[in-house]
Amino acid sequence: GHVDRIHDVSISYWRDAVTVRDAQYRLVYRVGENGPHDLELYDIQEHPDPIKNLADDRTDVVQRLIAAAIARQ
C-alpha cells in the first residue's frame, strides 16, 4: 500500500480497503462496484483503540473523509 497526505488527512490503501485519518477521526471502508461500503469511523482522540463505530452517527465526517480520499485518486 501507499500513503498520501492532503489538508492534514492521511490516506492509506491496502487491497480493497481505504483508511483515511485526520487529527480526530479514522475512517476505514472497502471499495466495491457500488461505491464505499463496510464503513467504520472511530474517534481516535477520544479512544485511540477502535471501540465504537460512529459511521452511522457521524455521516458528515464519513462523507468529508471519503471526499478527501476520492480527491486524491
Side-chain angles (χ1 to χ4, degrees):
H2 66 279
V3 177
D4 291 321
R5 292 186 186 279
I6 180 172
H7 306 294
D8 296 325
V9 174
S10 172
I11 306 165
S12 303
Y13 304 89
W14 176 252
R15 300 186 188 204
D16 67 339
V18 179
T19 301
V20 187
R21 292 178 61 151
D22 67 8
Q24 183 170 0
Y25 295 101
R26 179 177 70 192
L27 173 67
V28 180
Y29 64 92
R30 303 225 176 261
V31 178
E33 292 179 9
N34 297 322
H37 61 92
D38 296 339
L39 303 169
E40 298 177 31
L41 179 69
Y42 301 103
D43 185 331
I44 56 177
Q45 284 187 345
E46 185 175 330
H47 299 287
D49 295 323
I51 292 179
K52 182 180 179 191
N53 185 351
L54 303 172
D56 291 336
D57 298 330
R58 296 301 314 266
T59 56
D60 58 323
V61 176
V62 169
Q63 292 304 316
R64 177 175 57 81
L65 294 177
I66 289 174
I70 290 172
R72 296 294 295 174
Q73 291 179 346

Coordinates of all heavy atoms in Angstrom, one line a residue:
G1 N 0.8 -1.2 0.0 CA 0.0 0.0 0.0 C 0.9 1.2 0.0 O 2.1 1.2 0.1
H2 N 0.2 2.4 -0.1 CA 0.9 3.7 0.0 C 0.1 4.7 0.7 O -1.1 4.5 1.0 CB 1.3 4.2 -1.4 CG 0.1 4.5 -2.3 ND1 -0.7 3.6 -2.9 CD2 -0.5 5.7 -2.5 CE1 -1.6 4.2 -3.6 NE2 -1.6 5.4 -3.4
V3 N 0.7 5.8 1.1 CA 0.1 6.8 1.9 C 0.2 8.2 1.2 O 1.3 8.5 0.7 CB 0.7 6.9 3.3 CG1 0.1 8.0 4.1 CG2 0.6 5.6 4.0
D4 N -0.9 8.9 1.1 CA -0.9 10.3 0.6 C -1.4 11.2 1.7 O -2.2 10.8 2.6 CB -1.9 10.4 -0.6 CG -1.4 9.6 -1.8 OD1 -0.1 9.7 -2.1 OD2 -2.2 9.1 -2.5
R5 N -1.0 12.5 1.6 CA -1.5 13.5 2.6 C -2.0 14.7 1.8 O -1.4 15.1 0.9 CB -0.3 14.0 3.5 CG 0.2 12.9 4.4 CD 1.2 13.5 5.4 NE 1.7 12.4 6.2 CZ 1.2 11.9 7.3 NH1 0.0 12.3 7.6 NH2 1.8 11.0 8.0
I6 N -3.2 15.1 2.3 CA -3.9 16.3 1.7 C -4.6 17.0 2.8 O -5.4 16.3 3.5 CB -4.8 16.0 0.5 CG1 -5.4 17.2 -0.1 CG2 -5.8 15.0 0.9 CD1 -6.2 17.1 -1.4
H7 N -4.3 18.2 3.1 CA -5.0 19.0 4.1 C -5.1 18.3 5.4 O -6.2 18.1 6.0 CB -6.4 19.4 3.6 CG -6.5 20.0 2.3 ND1 -5.9 21.3 2.1 CD2 -6.9 19.6 1.1 CE1 -6.1 21.6 0.8 NE2 -6.7 20.6 0.2
D8 N -3.9 17.8 5.9 CA -3.9 17.1 7.2 C -4.7 15.9 7.3 O -5.2 15.5 8.3 CB -4.3 18.1 8.4 CG -3.3 19.3 8.5 OD1 -2.1 19.0 8.2 OD2 -3.8 20.3 8.8
V9 N -4.9 15.2 6.1 CA -5.6 13.9 6.1 C -4.6 12.9 5.5 O -3.9 13.2 4.5 CB -6.8 14.0 5.2 CG1 -7.4 12.7 5.0 CG2 -7.8 15.0 5.7
S10 N -4.5 11.8 6.2 CA -3.6 10.7 5.8 C -4.5 9.6 5.1 O -5.5 9.2 5.7 CB -2.8 10.2 7.0 OG -2.1 9.0 6.6
I11 N -4.1 9.1 4.0 CA -4.9 8.1 3.2 C -4.0 6.9 2.9 O -2.9 7.1 2.4 CB -5.4 8.7 1.9 CG1 -6.2 10.0 2.2 CG2 -6.3 7.7 1.2 CD1 -6.5 10.8 1.0
S12 N -4.4 5.8 3.4 CA -3.7 4.5 3.1 C -4.6 3.6 2.3 O -5.8 3.5 2.6 CB -3.3 3.9 4.4 OG -2.6 4.7 5.2
Y13 N -4.0 2.8 1.4 CA -4.7 1.8 0.6 C -4.1 0.5 0.8 O -2.9 0.3 0.8 CB -4.6 2.2 -0.9 CG -5.0 3.6 -1.2 CD1 -4.1 4.7 -1.1 CD2 -6.3 3.8 -1.6 CE1 -4.6 6.0 -1.4 CE2 -6.7 5.1 -1.9 CZ -5.9 6.2 -1.8 OH -6.3 7.4 -2.1
W14 N -4.9 -0.5 1.0 CA -4.5 -1.9 1.2 C -5.6 -2.8 0.6 O -6.7 -2.9 1.1 CB -4.2 -2.3 2.6 CG -3.9 -3.7 2.8 CD1 -4.6 -4.7 3.4 CD2 -2.6 -4.3 2.5 NE1 -4.0 -5.8 3.4 CE2 -2.7 -5.7 2.8 CE3 -1.5 -3.9 1.8 CZ2 -1.7 -6.6 2.6 CZ3 -0.5 -4.8 1.6 CH2 -0.6 -6.1 2.0
R15 N -5.2 -3.4 -0.6 CA -6.2 -4.3 -1.3 C -7.4 -3.5 -1.6 O -7.3 -2.4 -2.3 CB -6.4 -5.6 -0.6 CG -5.2 -6.4 -0.4 CD -5.4 -7.7 0.2 NE -4.1 -8.3 0.6 CZ -4.0 -9.6 0.7 NH1 -5.0 -10.4 0.5 NH2 -2.8 -10.1 1.0
D16 N -8.6 -3.9 -1.2 CA -9.8 -3.1 -1.5 C -10.2 -2.2 -0.3 O -11.3 -1.7 -0.3 CB -11.0 -4.1 -1.8 CG -11.4 -4.9 -0.6 OD1 -10.6 -5.1 0.3 OD2 -12.5 -5.5 -0.7
A17 N -9.3 -2.0 0.7 CA -9.6 -1.2 1.8 C -8.9 0.2 1.7 O -7.8 0.2 1.2 CB -9.3 -1.9 3.1
V18 N -9.6 1.2 2.2 CA -9.0 2.5 2.3 C -9.2 3.0 3.8 O -10.2 2.8 4.4 CB -9.8 3.5 1.4 CG1 -9.2 4.9 1.5 CG2 -9.8 3.0 -0.1
T19 N -8.1 3.6 4.3 CA -8.1 4.2 5.6 C -7.8 5.6 5.4 O -6.8 6.0 4.8 CB -7.1 3.5 6.5 OG1 -7.3 2.1 6.6 CG2 -7.1 4.1 7.9
V20 N -8.7 6.5 6.0 CA -8.5 7.9 5.9 C -8.5 8.4 7.4 O -9.4 8.1 8.1 CB -9.6 8.6 5.2 CG1 -9.3 10.1 5.0 CG2 -9.9 7.9 3.8
R21 N -7.4 9.2 7.7 CA -7.3 9.7 9.1 C -7.1 11.2 9.0 O -6.4 11.7 8.2 CB -6.1 9.1 9.8 CG -6.2 7.7 10.1 CD -5.0 7.1 10.7 NE -4.8 7.8 12.0 CZ -4.2 7.3 13.0 NH1 -3.7 6.1 13.0 NH2 -4.0 8.0 14.1
D22 N -7.7 11.9 10.0 CA -7.4 13.3 10.2 C -7.0 13.4 11.7 O -6.7 12.4 12.4 CB -8.5 14.3 9.8 CG -9.7 14.1 10.7 OD1 -9.7 13.4 11.7 OD2 -10.7 14.8 10.3
A23 N -6.9 14.6 12.3 CA -6.4 14.7 13.6 C -7.4 14.1 14.7 O -6.9 13.7 15.7 CB -6.3 16.2 14.0
Q24 N -8.7 13.9 14.3 CA -9.6 13.4 15.3 C -10.2 12.0 14.9 O -10.5 11.2 15.8 CB -10.8 14.3 15.5 CG -11.8 13.9 16.5 CD -12.8 14.9 16.9 OE1 -12.8 16.0 16.4 NE2 -13.7 14.6 17.8
Y25 N -10.3 11.7 13.6 CA -11.1 10.5 13.2 C -10.2 9.6 12.3 O -9.4 10.0 11.6 CB -12.3 10.9 12.4 CG -13.3 11.7 13.2 CD1 -13.5 13.0 13.1 CD2 -14.2 11.0 14.1 CE1 -14.4 13.7 13.9 CE2 -15.1 11.7 14.8 CZ -15.2 13.0 14.7 OH -16.1 13.7 15.5
R26 N -10.6 8.3 12.4 CA -10.1 7.3 11.4 C -11.3 6.6 10.8 O -12.1 6.1 11.5 CB -9.2 6.3 12.2 CG -8.7 5.2 11.2 CD -7.8 4.2 11.8 NE -8.6 3.4 12.7 CZ -8.1 2.6 13.6 NH1 -6.8 2.5 13.8 NH2 -8.8 1.9 14.4
L27 N -11.3 6.7 9.5 CA -12.4 6.0 8.7 C -11.7 4.9 7.9 O -10.7 5.1 7.2 CB -13.0 7.0 7.7 CG -14.0 6.4 6.7 CD1 -15.3 5.9 7.5 CD2 -14.4 7.4 5.7
V28 N -12.3 3.7 8.0 CA -11.9 2.5 7.2 C -13.1 2.1 6.4 O -14.2 2.0 7.0 CB -11.4 1.4 8.1 CG1 -11.0 0.2 7.3 CG2 -10.3 1.8 9.0
Y29 N -12.9 1.9 5.1 CA -14.0 1.4 4.3 C -13.5 0.5 3.2 O -12.3 0.6 2.9 CB -14.9 2.5 3.8 CG -14.2 3.5 2.8 CD1 -14.2 3.3 1.4 CD2 -13.5 4.6 3.3 CE1 -13.6 4.2 0.6 CE2 -12.9 5.5 2.5 CZ -13.0 5.3 1.1 OH -12.4 6.2 0.2
R30 N -14.3 -0.2 2.6 CA -14.0 -1.1 1.4 C -14.6 -0.5 0.2 O -15.6 0.2 0.2 CB -14.5 -2.5 1.6 CG -14.0 -3.1 2.9 CD -13.5 -4.5 2.6 NE -12.9 -5.1 3.8 CZ -11.6 -5.2 4.1 NH1 -10.7 -4.7 3.2 NH2 -11.2 -5.7 5.2
V31 N -13.9 -0.7 -0.9 CA -14.3 -0.1 -2.2 C -14.9 -1.3 -3.0 O -14.2 -2.3 -3.2 CB -13.2 0.6 -3.0 CG1 -13.7 1.1 -4.3 CG2 -12.6 1.7 -2.1
G32 N -16.1 -1.1 -3.5 CA -16.8 -2.1 -4.3 C -17.4 -1.5 -5.6 O -17.3 -0.3 -5.8
E33 N -18.1 -2.3 -6.3 CA -18.7 -1.9 -7.6 C -19.8 -0.8 -7.3 O -20.0 0.1 -8.1 CB -19.4 -3.0 -8.3 CG -18.4 -4.1 -8.8 CD -19.1 -5.2 -9.5 OE1 -20.4 -5.2 -9.7 OE2 -18.5 -6.2 -9.8
N34 N -20.4 -0.8 -6.1 CA -21.4 0.2 -5.8 C -20.9 1.3 -4.9 O -21.7 1.9 -4.2 CB -22.6 -0.5 -5.1 CG -23.3 -1.5 -6.1 OD1 -23.4 -1.2 -7.3 ND2 -23.7 -2.6 -5.6
G35 N -19.6 1.4 -4.8 CA -19.0 2.5 -4.0 C -18.6 2.0 -2.7 O -18.5 0.8 -2.4
P36 N -18.3 3.0 -1.8 CA -17.8 2.6 -0.4 C -18.8 1.8 0.4 O -20.0 2.1 0.3 CB -17.5 3.9 0.2 CG -17.4 4.9 -0.9 CD -18.3 4.4 -2.0
H37 N -18.3 0.8 1.1 CA -19.2 0.0 2.0 C -18.4 -0.5 3.2 O -17.2 -0.3 3.3 CB -19.8 -1.1 1.2 CG -18.8 -2.1 0.7 ND1 -18.4 -3.2 1.3 CD2 -18.2 -2.1 -0.5 CE1 -17.5 -3.9 0.6 NE2 -17.4 -3.2 -0.6
D38 N -19.0 -1.1 4.1 CA -18.4 -1.6 5.4 C -17.7 -0.5 6.1 O -16.5 -0.5 6.4 CB -17.4 -2.8 5.1 CG -18.1 -4.0 4.6 OD1 -19.3 -4.1 4.8 OD2 -17.4 -4.8 4.0
L39 N -18.4 0.6 6.3 CA -17.8 1.8 6.9 C -17.6 1.7 8.4 O -18.4 1.2 9.1 CB -18.8 3.0 6.7 CG -19.2 3.3 5.2 CD1 -20.3 4.3 5.2 CD2 -18.0 3.8 4.4
E40 N -16.4 2.1 8.8 CA -16.1 2.1 10.2 C -15.4 3.4 10.5 O -14.4 3.8 9.9 CB -15.1 1.0 10.6 CG -15.6 -0.4 10.3 CD -14.6 -1.5 10.6 OE1 -13.7 -1.2 11.5 OE2 -14.6 -2.5 9.9
L41 N -16.0 4.2 11.4 CA -15.5 5.5 11.8 C -15.2 5.5 13.3 O -16.1 5.2 14.1 CB -16.5 6.6 11.4 CG -16.0 8.0 11.8 CD1 -14.9 8.5 11.0 CD2 -17.2 9.0 11.7
Y42 N -14.0 5.9 13.7 CA -13.6 5.9 15.1 C -13.1 7.3 15.4 O -12.3 7.9 14.7 CB -12.6 4.9 15.4 CG -13.1 3.5 15.0 CD1 -12.7 2.8 13.9 CD2 -14.0 2.9 15.9 CE1 -13.2 1.6 13.6 CE2 -14.5 1.6 15.5 CZ -14.1 1.0 14.4 OH -14.6 -0.3 14.1
D43 N -13.4 7.8 16.6 CA -12.9 9.0 17.2 C -11.6 8.6 17.9 O -11.6 8.1 19.0 CB -13.9 9.6 18.2 CG -13.4 11.0 18.7 OD1 -12.2 11.2 18.8 OD2 -14.2 11.8 19.0
I44 N -10.4 8.8 17.2 CA -9.2 8.4 17.8 C -8.6 9.3 18.9 O -7.7 9.0 19.5 CB -8.1 8.2 16.7 CG1 -7.9 9.4 15.8 CG2 -8.5 7.0 15.8 CD1 -6.9 9.3 14.7
Q45 N -9.2 10.5 19.0 CA -8.8 11.4 20.1 C -9.5 10.9 21.4 O -8.9 10.9 22.5 CB -9.2 12.8 19.9 CG -8.2 13.5 18.9 CD -8.5 15.0 18.8 OE1 -9.5 15.5 19.2 NE2 -7.5 15.7 18.2
E46 N -10.7 10.5 21.3 CA -11.5 10.0 22.5 C -11.0 8.6 22.9 O -10.9 8.4 24.1 CB -13.0 10.0 22.2 CG -13.8 9.7 23.4 CD -15.3 9.8 23.1 OE1 -15.7 10.6 22.2 OE2 -16.1 9.0 23.7
H47 N -10.9 7.8 21.9 CA -10.5 6.4 22.2 C -9.4 6.0 21.1 O -9.8 5.7 20.0 CB -11.7 5.4 22.0 CG -12.8 5.7 23.0 ND1 -12.6 5.4 24.3 CD2 -14.0 6.2 22.8 CE1 -13.8 5.8 25.0 NE2 -14.6 6.3 24.1
P48 N -8.1 6.0 21.5 CA -7.1 5.6 20.5 C -7.3 4.2 19.9 O -7.0 4.0 18.7 CB -5.8 5.6 21.3 CG -6.1 6.6 22.4 CD -7.6 6.4 22.7
D49 N -7.9 3.3 20.7 CA -8.2 2.0 20.1 C -9.6 2.0 19.6 O -10.5 2.6 20.2 CB -8.1 0.9 21.2 CG -6.7 0.7 21.7 OD1 -5.8 0.8 20.9 OD2 -6.5 0.5 22.9
P50 N -9.9 1.3 18.5 CA -11.3 1.3 17.9 C -12.2 0.7 18.9 O -12.1 -0.5 19.2 CB -11.1 0.5 16.6 CG -9.8 -0.2 16.7 CD -9.0 0.5 17.7
I51 N -13.1 1.5 19.4 CA -14.1 1.0 20.4 C -15.5 1.0 19.8 O -16.2 0.1 19.8 CB -14.0 1.7 21.7 CG1 -12.6 1.4 22.4 CG2 -15.1 1.4 22.7 CD1 -12.4 2.1 23.7
K52 N -16.0 2.2 19.4 CA -17.3 2.4 19.0 C -17.3 2.9 17.5 O -16.7 4.0 17.3 CB -18.1 3.4 19.9 CG -19.5 3.6 19.5 CD -20.2 4.6 20.3 CE -21.7 4.7 19.8 NZ -22.4 5.8 20.4
N53 N -18.0 2.2 16.7 CA -18.1 2.6 15.3 C -19.1 3.8 15.2 O -20.3 3.6 15.5 CB -18.6 1.4 14.4 CG -18.6 1.8 12.9 OD1 -18.5 2.9 12.5 ND2 -18.8 0.8 12.1
L54 N -18.7 4.9 14.8 CA -19.5 6.1 14.7 C -20.0 6.4 13.3 O -20.6 7.5 13.1 CB -18.7 7.4 15.2 CG -18.1 7.3 16.6 CD1 -17.2 8.4 16.9 CD2 -19.2 7.2 17.6
A55 N -19.8 5.5 12.4 CA -20.2 5.8 11.0 C -21.6 6.2 10.8 O -22.0 7.1 10.0 CB -19.8 4.6 10.1
D56 N -22.6 5.5 11.5 CA -24.0 5.8 11.3 C -24.4 7.2 12.0 O -25.3 7.8 11.5 CB -24.8 4.7 11.9 CG -24.8 3.4 11.1 OD1 -24.4 3.5 9.9 OD2 -25.0 2.4 11.6
D57 N -23.6 7.5 13.0 CA -24.0 8.8 13.8 C -23.3 10.0 13.2 O -23.8 11.1 13.3 CB -23.5 8.6 15.2 CG -24.3 7.5 15.9 OD1 -25.4 7.2 15.6 OD2 -23.7 6.9 16.9
R58 N -22.2 9.8 12.5 CA -21.4 11.0 12.0 C -21.2 10.9 10.5 O -20.1 10.8 10.0 CB -20.0 11.1 12.7 CG -20.1 11.3 14.2 CD -20.8 12.7 14.6 NE -20.4 13.8 13.8 CZ -19.4 14.7 14.1 NH1 -18.8 14.5 15.2 NH2 -19.2 15.7 13.3
T59 N -22.3 10.8 9.8 CA -22.3 10.7 8.3 C -21.6 11.9 7.7 O -21.0 11.8 6.6 CB -23.7 10.5 7.7 OG1 -24.5 11.6 8.1 CG2 -24.3 9.2 8.2
D60 N -21.6 13.1 8.3 CA -20.9 14.3 7.8 C -19.4 14.0 7.8 O -18.8 14.4 6.8 CB -21.3 15.5 8.7 CG -20.9 15.3 10.2 OD1 -21.0 14.2 10.7 OD2 -20.4 16.3 10.8
V61 N -18.9 13.4 8.8 CA -17.4 13.1 8.9 C -17.1 12.1 7.8 O -16.1 12.2 7.1 CB -17.0 12.7 10.3 CG1 -15.5 12.3 10.3 CG2 -17.3 13.8 11.3
V62 N -17.9 11.0 7.7 CA -17.7 10.0 6.8 C -17.6 10.6 5.4 O -16.7 10.3 4.6 CB -18.8 8.9 6.9 CG1 -18.7 7.9 5.7 CG2 -18.7 8.1 8.2
Q63 N -18.6 11.4 5.0 CA -18.6 12.0 3.7 C -17.4 12.9 3.4 O -16.8 12.8 2.3 CB -19.9 12.7 3.4 CG -21.1 11.8 3.4 CD -21.0 10.7 2.4 OE1 -20.6 11.0 1.2 NE2 -21.4 9.5 2.7
R64 N -17.0 13.6 4.4 CA -15.8 14.5 4.2 C -14.5 13.7 4.0 O -13.7 14.0 3.1 CB -15.7 15.4 5.5 CG -14.5 16.3 5.4 CD -14.4 17.3 6.6 NE -14.4 16.6 7.9 CZ -13.4 16.1 8.5 NH1 -12.2 16.1 7.9 NH2 -13.5 15.5 9.7
L65 N -14.4 12.6 4.8 CA -13.1 11.8 4.6 C -13.1 11.0 3.3 O -12.1 10.9 2.7 CB -13.0 11.0 5.9 CG -12.7 11.7 7.2 CD1 -12.6 10.7 8.3 CD2 -11.5 12.6 7.1
I66 N -14.3 10.5 2.9 CA -14.4 9.8 1.6 C -14.1 10.8 0.5 O -13.3 10.5 -0.4 CB -15.7 9.1 1.5 CG1 -15.9 7.9 2.4 CG2 -15.9 8.7 0.0 CD1 -17.2 7.3 2.4
A67 N -14.6 12.0 0.6 CA -14.3 13.0 -0.4 C -12.8 13.3 -0.5 O -12.3 13.5 -1.6 CB -15.1 14.3 -0.2
A68 N -12.2 13.4 0.6 CA -10.7 13.6 0.6 C -10.0 12.5 -0.1 O -9.0 12.7 -0.8 CB -10.2 13.8 2.0
A69 N -10.4 11.3 0.2 CA -9.8 10.1 -0.5 C -10.0 10.1 -2.0 O -9.1 9.9 -2.7 CB -10.3 8.8 0.2
I70 N -11.2 10.4 -2.4 CA -11.6 10.4 -3.8 C -10.8 11.5 -4.5 O -10.3 11.3 -5.7 CB -13.1 10.6 -4.0 CG1 -13.8 9.3 -3.5 CG2 -13.4 10.9 -5.4 CD1 -15.3 9.3 -3.5
A71 N -10.6 12.6 -3.9 CA -9.9 13.8 -4.5 C -8.4 13.4 -4.8 O -7.8 14.0 -5.7 CB -9.9 15.0 -3.6
R72 N -7.9 12.4 -4.1 CA -6.5 12.0 -4.3 C -6.3 10.9 -5.3 O -5.2 10.5 -5.5 CB -5.9 11.6 -2.9 CG -5.8 12.8 -2.0 CD -4.8 13.8 -2.4 NE -3.5 13.3 -2.4 CZ -2.4 13.9 -2.9 NH1 -2.6 15.1 -3.4 NH2 -1.3 13.3 -2.9
Q73 N -7.4 10.3 -5.8 CA -7.3 9.2 -6.7 C -6.9 9.6 -8.1 O -7.1 10.7 -8.5 CB -8.6 8.4 -6.8 CG -9.0 7.7 -5.5 CD -10.3 6.9 -5.6 OE1 -11.1 7.2 -6.5 NE2 -10.5 6.1 -4.7

